[in-house]
Structure formats: C-alpha cells, structure tokens
C-alpha cells in the first residue's frame, strides 16, 4: 500500500509544476517537514527541476518535471 513517504513524494512532484522563482524559501504547499531548496528552470530546453530537503532525515530529493517545449 501507499506509505506517507509515497504521498509526500507525490505532493513534491505536484509542487514541481509551480514556478517558485520569487518565493523559493516559502514552503507553502509542501508536505510537513520538507523544505524547498532551489529550482532550476531552463526556458530554452524546457527542463525544470527542484531540490527539496527532508528536514527530519536530511535527505535531498530532486524532482524533475516534464519538459515544456
């Protein structure tokens, strides 16, 4: 079955489709215990990734979203 970790990762994946360039430190919309660290947007290629940290474990999660051409 689905664990809380699975649900957290799904929420992070959903969050990656929002552009947070002006509010990278604002963790609104994230699962409890996660921090949004940095977003990489490449308008030319359409590539986008965001780094998140699990504040409890220190684990860094890199979420890649689909390219937009």
């Amino acid at each position: 079955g689905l664990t809380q970790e699975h649900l957290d990762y799904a929420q992070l994946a959903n969050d990656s489709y929002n552009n947070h360039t002006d509010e990278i430190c604002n963790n609104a919309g994230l699962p409890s215990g996660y921090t949004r660290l940095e977003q990489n947007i490449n308008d030319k290629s359409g590539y986008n990734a965001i780094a998140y940290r699990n504040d409890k474990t220190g684990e860094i999660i890199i979420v890649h979203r689909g390219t937009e051409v």
Side-chain angles (χ1 to χ4, degrees):
L2 289 178
T3 66
Q4 185 59 51
E5 184 177 52
H6 292 125
L7 297 172
D8 289 348
Y9 287 168
Q11 197 169 347
L12 295 176
N14 185 61
D15 181 73
S16 75
Y17 284 87
N18 298 313
N19 290 329
H20 302 287
T21 52
D22 294 332
E23 52 186 58
I24 202 69
C25 293
N26 177 353
N27 294 316
L30 295 185
S32 178
Y34 286 84
T35 300
R36 190 181 301 110
L37 300 176
E38 186 173 338
Q39 183 172 32
N40 180 306
I41 300 171
N42 185 317
D43 290 328
K44 185 175 179 181
S45 70
Y47 177 78
N48 188 313
I50 302 182
Y52 300 92
R53 181 181 59 236
N54 179 320
D55 298 327
K56 183 177 179 183
T57 66
E59 176 184 34
I60 302 297
I61 300 100
I62 307 296
V63 177
H64 305 270
R65 81 180 193 195
T67 56
E68 299 173 16
V69 184

